[in-house]
Amino acid sequence: MLSFQDAVSPIMEQLIMFHDHTMMILLMITTVVSYMMVMLFMNKYINRFLLEGQLIELIWTILPAVLLIFIALPSLRILYMIEEINNPLITIKAIGHQWYWSYEYSDFKKIEFDSYMKPTINLESSEFRLLDTDNRIVLPYNIQIRILVTSTDVIHSWTIPSIGVKIDASPGRINQGSILMNRLGYFLVNVQ
């Protein structure tokens, strides 16, 4: 698969649109530069004023700056949207251990469980190798969720690509993220 997974959250939809926006700008730059290089190789005419033109230098200095602004402003907006947490109704704590993850739902009842990766021998035909676990985390949709991620031993990474969330787990530090899903589904948590 060469594209992104289907977006499940508004953040991931914005990330996909930003990716497409940036790729269009890069495609325009690549096309213009390729055209200019081909024309330079094919053209036999020489303009003696081209080497001392301050106007052309002004253009090729300002144009890249404007293109960078067209990339930077949407990027900063999405970055602030990712870090924004609006009154979460549920808080889930994910603790990374060396070979498994522990999850704690501490808002309503004290629910704690460990999630171990399933051995390849125990997998069914519909399950994914190195991604399926014995206990899955269950998240509601259309509800703002705060996820707190930490580690007990080494640096881990807690990721759900279709939601657009990736949080690093470091020992002695709690990182937080926000999740808001638009639809139901079975989404794989990529953990390392």
Side-chain angles (χ1 to χ4, degrees), residues 90-92 103-113:
I90 297 176
T91 300
I92 299 170
Y103 294 101
E104 298 176 5
Y105 293 82
S106 58
D107 285 337
F108 305 110
K109 294 182 179 178
K110 192 71 171 167
I111 301 172
E112 298 179 3
F113 61 92

Side-chain angles (χ1 to χ4, degrees), residues 118-119 122-129 132-133 136 186:
K118 278 190 174 181
N122 299 345
L123 289 177
E124 297 175 14
S125 62
S126 63
E127 295 178 331
F128 295 99
R129 182 177 170 268
D132 267 303
T133 60
R136 295 184 179 131
Y186 174 66

Side-chain angles (χ1 to χ4, degrees), residues 111-122:
I111 301 172
E112 298 179 3
F113 61 92
D114 294 333
S115 181
Y116 290 90
M117 185 173 49
K118 278 190 174 181
T120 308
I121 301 167
N122 299 345

Side-chain angles (χ1 to χ4, degrees), residues 79-88 90-94 144-151 158 164-170 173-179:
L79 188 62
Y80 280 108
M81 285 174 55
I82 289 172
E83 293 296 322
E84 182 179 334
I85 296 178
N86 297 325
N87 299 326
I90 297 176
T91 300
I92 299 170
K93 186 174 182 183
Q144 189 76 32
I145 303 166
R146 176 176 53 191
I147 181 93
L148 302 174
V149 180
T150 188
S151 172
W158 193 88
V165 64
K166 179 188 178 299
I167 307 168
D168 292 326
S170 302
R173 180 183 173 104
I174 297 178
N175 293 328
Q176 73 175 353
S178 177
I179 297 174

